[in-house]
């Protein structure tokens, strides 16, 4: 393999999932459909949670944030992958790679923390309904919105700066969907074992601590739901919680495989598939999971769209 020192002014080449596929045209069409679905569904969910006053409650404020994060997360990765394939140019500048890494880490980390806050919201709503508006007062809600963004961006900034300070002399071809820490470290000239351990510890902290909070919240919720006298109340609580748990399972499952699984268990193909799942598939499915079984969201969507149609007829 030809060696070349990579400086700040030189470019990388993303050799991702589309280049390793046996049917790249079909895969590109599938990814495009998923991206359009993610844009449409997350956009509509953001619209209804903003426009319909009946949804101006903590649960839907947090859900709107999740839609915003999903929409931005997939937009950081997917359009670049599609355009690279269509134009035949898969290069990305050093600065562009650093920016893509920072944004992906920020949005992924923020979503990770937000899901824990959403679990706490459901815990308070089901286990302490009479005190819900006290525990979830506006100041607390906005803190729940701001905290994931702040903590995730600080973590992302530190990791991006440190990852990109290495000299990349092994190759400039990143065999991955986008600029992410594990595949970038494979190109570094220096010994990255200590830093890989730090990435592992950070990944465990960022993933397992919120996941522990989610498991604890839903354990308490389950005990409360089982003791509910109303069958209708139990059903409504379980429907709401099952949607959230489905999203949690998809996101944390993929993220854990990428950042917690030891590097010796990783392969290029596996990492590409996992990254595609949580940057393309999950953002497209999340709003459908939350809205299709939620009568309040569907009702709000009908009201907002109905009002728009009436204004333009």
């Amino acid at each position: 393999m030809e060696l070349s020192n990579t400086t700040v002014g030189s470019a990388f080449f993303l050799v991702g999932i589309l280049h390793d596929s046996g049917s790249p045209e079909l895969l590109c069409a599938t990814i495009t459909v998923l991206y359009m679905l993610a844009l449409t569904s997350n956009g509509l969910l953001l619209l209804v949670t903003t426009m319909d006053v009946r949804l101006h409650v903590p649960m839907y404020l947090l859900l709107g944030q999740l839609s915003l994060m999903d929409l931005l997360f997939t937009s950081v990765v997917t359009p670049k992958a599609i355009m690279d394939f269509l134009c035949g140019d898969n290069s990305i500048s050093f600065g562009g790679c650093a920016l893509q890494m920072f944004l992906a880490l920020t949005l992924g980390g923020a979503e990770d923390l937000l899901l824990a806050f959403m679990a706490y919201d459901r815990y308070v709503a089901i286990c302490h309904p009479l005190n819900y508006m006290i525990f979830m007062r506006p100041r607390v809600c906005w803190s729940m919105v701001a905290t994931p963004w702040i903590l995730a961006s600080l973590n992302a900034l530190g990791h991006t700066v440190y990852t990109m300070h290495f000299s990349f002399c092994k190759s400039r071809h990143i065999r991955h969907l986008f600029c992410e820490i594990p595949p970038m470290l494979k190109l570094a000239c220096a010994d990255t074992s200590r830093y890989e351990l730090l990435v592992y510890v950070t990944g465990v902290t960022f993933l397992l601590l919120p996941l522990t909070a989610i498991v604890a919240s839903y354990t308490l919720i389950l005990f409360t739901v089982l003791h509910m006298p109303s069958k209708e109340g139990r059903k409504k609580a379980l429907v709401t919680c099952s949607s959230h748990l489905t999203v949690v399972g998809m996101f944390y499952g993929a993220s854990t495989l990428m950042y917690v699984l030891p590097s010796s268990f990783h392969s290029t193909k596996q990492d590409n598939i996992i990254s595609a799942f949580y940057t393309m598939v999950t953002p497209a499915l999340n709003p459908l999971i939350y809205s299709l079984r939620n009568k309040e969201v569907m009702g709000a969507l009908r009201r907002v769209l109905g009002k728009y149609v009436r204004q333009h007829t």
Side-chain angles (χ1 to χ4, degrees):
M1 181 181 291
E2 184 181 349
L3 299 180
S4 58
N5 282 323
T6 299
T7 64
V8 173
S10 51
F12 292 104
F13 298 92
L14 293 168
V15 186
I17 192 169
L18 285 169
H19 296 83
D20 294 332
S21 170
S23 304
E25 293 83 5
L26 178 61
L27 185 58
C28 183
T30 303
I31 289 172
T32 303
V33 170
L34 284 172
Y35 182 59
M36 296 307 296
L37 179 61
L39 286 182
T40 304
S41 54
N42 284 295
L44 284 174
L45 199 51
L46 267 174
L47 178 68
V48 297
T49 54
T50 303
M51 298 288 291
D52 196 295
V53 293
R54 301 182 198 184
L55 299 187
H56 290 178
V57 294
M59 174 183 172
Y60 294 109
L61 171 66
L62 298 175
L63 182 56
Q65 285 295 303
L66 180 66
S67 289
L68 177 62
M69 290 173 185
D70 277 338
L71 193 142
L72 294 175
F73 198 8
T74 191
S75 295
V76 167
V77 177
T78 312
K80 168 69 175 164
I82 294 171
M83 292 308 298
D84 283 356
F85 178 75
L86 295 178
C87 299
D89 178 16
N90 60 341
S91 63
I92 184 170
S93 67
F94 184 95
C97 189
L99 179 61
Q100 190 182 54
M101 181 184 293
F102 170 74
L103 292 175
L105 285 172
T106 297
L107 292 162
E111 184 166 334
D112 165 39
L113 297 173
L114 182 71
L115 288 171
F117 285 130
M118 291 176 74
Y120 173 75
D121 169 73
R122 290 299 83 209
Y123 159 73
V124 174
I126 293 171
C127 300
H128 303 282
L130 298 180
N131 295 319
Y132 181 72
M133 295 313 297
I134 298 175
F135 285 117
M136 298 298 293
R137 55 192 179 275
R139 187 175 179 179
V140 173
C141 290
W142 287 111
S143 296
M144 288 182 170
V145 169
T147 300
W149 289 103
I150 295 170
L151 292 181
S153 61
L154 291 174
N155 176 66
L157 181 62
H159 275 303
T160 301
V161 170
Y162 200 81
T163 301
M164 300 305 287
H165 98 284
F166 287 109
S167 294
F168 302 99
C169 61
K170 293 183 179 179
S171 171
R172 289 184 297 158
H173 289 77
I174 304 169
R175 302 194 65 79
H176 199 61
L177 181 64
F178 63 101
C179 293
E180 200 167 13
I181 295 174
M184 292 296 294
L185 294 182
K186 292 179 181 178
L187 308 183
C189 310
D191 178 18
T192 61
S193 56
R194 289 186 179 180
Y195 180 53
E196 285 180 38
L197 178 61
L198 177 62
V199 171
Y200 176 80
V201 171
T202 307
V204 169
T205 304
F206 246 79
L207 288 168
L208 297 191
L209 285 182
L211 186 58
T212 301
I214 291 170
V215 171
S217 296
Y218 277 100
T219 300
L220 295 170
I221 286 171
L222 181 61
F223 283 125
T224 302
V225 168
L226 292 176
H227 290 89
M228 281 183 175
S230 167
K231 185 178 179 181
E232 187 64 29
R234 286 199 302 271
K235 182 180 178 182
K236 185 178 180 181
L238 288 173
V239 166
T240 303
C241 294
S242 63
S243 299
H244 186 237
L245 284 173
T246 303
V247 171
V248 165
M250 291 195 303
F251 181 82
Y252 278 90
S255 300
T256 299
L257 288 174
M258 192 68 193
Y259 283 97
V260 177
L261 198 69
S263 57
S264 57
F265 291 91
H266 286 245
S267 69
T268 301
K269 185 175 182 180
Q270 173 189 300
D271 286 352
N272 266 306
I273 292 171
I274 293 169
S275 294
F277 185 80
Y278 66 74
T279 58
M280 297 175 179
V281 179
T282 301
L285 296 181
N286 281 355
L288 300 180
I289 292 168
Y290 273 109
S291 61
L292 291 179
R293 298 176 66 187
N294 190 311
K295 293 180 181 179
E296 292 177 333
V297 172
M298 295 305 293
L301 180 60
R302 283 191 290 269
R303 287 192 295 272
V304 170
L305 293 180
K307 183 179 179 180
Y308 177 83
V309 171
R310 287 193 297 272
Q311 288 177 345
H312 292 81
T313 54

